[in-house]
């Protein structure tokens, strides 16, 4: 990467927390060096941001990407993603991604903790190949291994730590809302032991739980965050209070819940600011949906987010976007994070809170101390958009320029 000096001037600045009294942000060698109203350094390339707002690079806190997805994320101003489980990534692969400014930087859980033949294997292999008519399990058919013996749990967690997992992911999924009832699950005491082991290694623990009962179970075992929002029931005081008391963060993935309950991403795909930056393959995926739980009511998810926000729960933006596959559709890397922000606002979050949910709050939650903010000394991951997302949240899609580590990833005329 060739670092350059930039001065982005005449902009409104949202620093990850609030709009600040500044109109010029200066970057040198990938780091923000100044925020204010002064004249730019003589050596800096000046970017005229008139009529625009400068944001920290966005963070999608729940994805399952390949390189194509990481590249598309950057095109939409998403400069960091949190991989919520997948095959372990080698140090060489992580270094390659970190050094390529065309790709979103990544933090990963690595291999998640699941039961033998448990979720997410049913997304890749028919259930009848995983579980026989007599209830027998066929791990040889499962692409993702599960924990066969609870005694092996300490070794499982230790192996994730050695592989470089940034946090530990637990999968509590019995299949109801994914049209796969009867999925094998680990026992609650195994999950509780996993939390103790992970915390003993200094690792954050985040849980997949798509139902009310699974969510309550994950709160009982002491996880630090919820990677989903339950969608099988309306919110109750019991669960809202339990989440608030636990102090966990929640990644609602409203775009996913809409898709699971049968609504496609056609409304997002219809936006020319989206379709102009996306392949036909991705657009076909976005226009489709999961529809594994059409009897579900998406309004429950909206009501739950509103209740959680009013209770002071940290809300973090994430999408669960993966590959360009129509059977797992309604989502697209990069673009769907903007859709998630719009849905969070419709669920009752003020625009500024929605912007925080994709910048400073996930950075704090996942220990990303160098990003998610526009401050002196912070990494220069930046997005310049036309308009003002603090007034109209859809303006986040009006991308004029994106910088990753101070390198501009989009062409822009300079003055």
């Amino acid at each position: 990467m060739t670092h350059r000096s930039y001065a982005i001037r005449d902009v409104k600045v949202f620093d990850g927390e609030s709009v600040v009294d500044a109109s010029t942000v200066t970057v040198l060698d990938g780091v923000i060096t100044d925020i204010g109203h002064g004249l730019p350094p003589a050596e800096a390339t000046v970017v005229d941001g008139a009529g625009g707002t400068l944001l920290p690079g966005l963070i999608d806190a729940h994805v399952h990407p390949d390189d194509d997805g990481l590249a598309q994320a950057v095109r939409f101003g998403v400069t960091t993603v949190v991989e919520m489980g997948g095959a372990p990534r080698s140090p060489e692969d992580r270094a390659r991604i970190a050094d390529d400014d065309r790709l979103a930087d990544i933090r990963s859980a690595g291999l998640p903790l699941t039961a033998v033949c448990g979720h997410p294997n049913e997304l890749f292999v028919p259930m009848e190949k995983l579980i026989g008519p007599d209830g027998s399990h066929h791990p040889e058919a499962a692409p993702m291994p599960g924990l066969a013996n609870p005694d092996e749990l300490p070794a499982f967690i230790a192996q994730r730590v050695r592989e470089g997992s940034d946090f530990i992911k637990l999968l509590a999924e019995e299949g109801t809302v994914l049209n796969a009832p009867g999925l094998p699950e680990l026992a609650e005491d195994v999950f509780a032991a996993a939390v103790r082991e992970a915390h003993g290694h200094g690792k954050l623990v985040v849980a997949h739980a798509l139902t009310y009962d699974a969510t309550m179970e994950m709160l009982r075992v002491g996880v630090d965050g919820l990677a989903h929002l339950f969608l099988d029931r309306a919110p109750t005081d019991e669960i809202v209070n339990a989440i608030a008391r636990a102090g966990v963060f929640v990644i609602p993935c409203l775009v996913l819940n809409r898709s699971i309950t049968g609504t496609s991403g056609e409304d997002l795909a219809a936006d020319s600011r989206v379709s102009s930056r996306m392949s036909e393959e991705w657009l076909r995926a976005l226009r489709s949906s999961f529809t594994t739980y059409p009897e579900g009511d998406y309004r429950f998810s909206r009501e739950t987010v509103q209740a959680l926000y009013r209770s002071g729960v940290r809300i973090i933006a994430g999408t669960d976007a993966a590959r360009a596959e129509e059977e797992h559709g309604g989502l697209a890397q990069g673009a769907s994070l903007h859709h998630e922000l719009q849905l969070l606002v419709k669920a009752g979050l003020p625009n500024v809170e929605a912007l925080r949910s994709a910048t400073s709050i996930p950075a704090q939650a996942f220990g990303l101390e160098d990003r998610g903010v526009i401050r002196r000394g912070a990494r220069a991951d930046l997005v310049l958009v036309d308009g003002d997302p603090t007034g109209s949240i859809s303006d986040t899609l009006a991308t004029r320029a994106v910088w990753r580590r101070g390198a501009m990833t989009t062409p822009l005329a300079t003055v």
Side-chain angles (χ1 to χ4, degrees):
M1 182 189 75
T2 301
H3 290 300
R4 295 189 61 184
S5 177
Y6 286 98
I8 307 158
R9 71 179 190 187
D10 295 334
V11 289
K12 175 176 281 192
V13 178
F14 173 78
D15 72 351
E17 294 286 348
S18 61
V19 175
V20 296
D21 181 19
S23 59
T24 300
V25 174
T26 304
V27 172
L28 176 64
D29 290 339
V31 175
I32 297 168
T33 57
D34 192 46
I35 306 164
H37 297 284
L39 293 174
E43 69 276 10
T45 298
V46 177
V47 176
D48 185 358
T53 301
L54 193 66
L55 310 168
L58 302 177
I59 300 171
D60 189 332
H62 190 150
V63 296
H64 303 277
D66 56 12
D67 275 14
D68 174 60
L70 294 175
Q72 182 164 279
V74 170
R75 289 198 294 274
F76 282 93
V78 179
T79 53
T80 299
V81 298
V82 179
E83 184 177 51
M84 276 289 166
R89 289 185 178 271
S90 68
E92 294 77 16
D93 189 45
R94 283 170 167 263
R96 175 187 65 83
I97 293 170
D99 288 340
D100 190 340
D101 291 318
R102 298 168 298 177
L103 305 178
D105 199 16
I106 193 166
R107 296 294 183 273
S108 180
L111 192 67
L113 179 65
T114 191
V116 174
C117 295
H119 179 74
N121 287 295
E122 83 288 353
L123 299 178
F124 312 112
V125 178
M127 279 285 283
E128 57 268 24
K129 290 189 176 181
L130 296 171
I131 305 171
D134 59 353
S136 60
H137 298 166
H138 299 283
E140 70 281 359
M144 183 171 289
L147 185 72
N149 184 347
D151 292 341
E152 297 172 355
L153 180 63
F156 176 93
I157 300 296
Q159 181 63 22
R160 303 290 80 75
V161 174
R162 285 194 296 273
E163 290 167 350
S165 291
D166 296 291
F167 58 98
I168 302 298
K169 173 82 174 293
L170 310 183
L171 297 173
E173 178 57 66
E174 46 72 54
T176 297
V177 303
L178 296 177
N179 195 29
L183 275 175
E185 281 190 285
L186 294 172
E188 183 171 329
D189 63 343
V190 177
F191 284 129
V195 172
R196 291 193 297 271
E197 288 288 334
H199 286 172
H201 286 279
K203 293 295 182 182
L204 193 77
V205 182
V206 182
H208 164 113
L210 279 168
T211 65
Y212 189 105
D213 290 344
T215 299
M216 293 299 286
E217 178 187 18
M218 292 298 97
L219 295 175
R220 288 193 298 269
V221 304
V223 300
D224 303 295
L226 297 169
H228 288 284
L229 196 70
F230 64 91
L231 73 161
D232 60 328
R233 288 180 57 183
T236 64
D237 289 344
E238 175 195 39
I239 199 164
V240 171
N241 291 338
I243 292 171
R245 284 196 305 269
V248 300
F249 59 79
V250 177
I251 307 170
C253 294
L254 291 175
V255 286
L256 175 70
N257 285 11
R258 273 198 359 152
S259 179
I260 286 175
T261 53
T263 302
S264 76
E266 175 61 44
D267 48 344
L268 183 67
D271 191 322
S272 62
R273 298 172 298 181
V274 172
S275 58
S276 63
R277 283 181 268 175
M278 205 176 282
S279 69
E280 280 303 316
E281 183 182 27
W282 271 111
L283 284 170
R284 283 194 299 271
L286 185 58
R287 290 175 177 134
S288 61
S289 65
F290 273 72
T291 318
T292 54
Y293 191 59
E295 64 270 34
D297 190 336
Y298 171 71
R299 289 176 299 178
F300 293 165
S301 298
R302 198 165 56 225
E303 292 166 5
T304 303
V305 167
Q306 186 174 64
L308 292 175
Y309 172 67
R310 288 176 174 173
S311 296
V313 173
R314 286 175 295 164
I315 304 295
I316 294 178
T319 62
D320 205 4
R323 310 294 176 88
E325 300 168 338
E326 291 182 63
E327 63 269 31
H328 302 147
L331 315 171
Q333 296 286 353
S336 286
L337 185 67
H338 298 268
H339 205 187
E340 185 74 9
L341 297 182
Q342 294 171 25
L343 295 177
L344 288 172
V345 168
K346 288 180 180 178
L349 268 67
N351 288 21
V352 166
E353 288 295 337
L355 293 172
R356 288 173 180 161
S357 79
T359 53
S360 60
I361 297 177
Q364 293 163 6
F366 287 95
L368 304 173
E369 298 178 355
D370 63 342
R371 67 196 72 188
V373 292
I374 298 178
R375 291 179 188 155
R376 290 180 183 86
R379 174 178 161 121
D381 289 353
L382 301 166
V383 185
L384 175 61
V385 300
D386 286 321
D388 178 12
T390 67
S392 175
I393 195 65
S394 70
D395 283 354
T396 61
L397 276 169
T399 311
R400 195 187 302 180
V402 179
W403 291 262
R404 182 189 185 273
R405 296 190 305 170
M408 185 182 286
T409 65
T410 53
L412 176 75
T414 58
V415 296

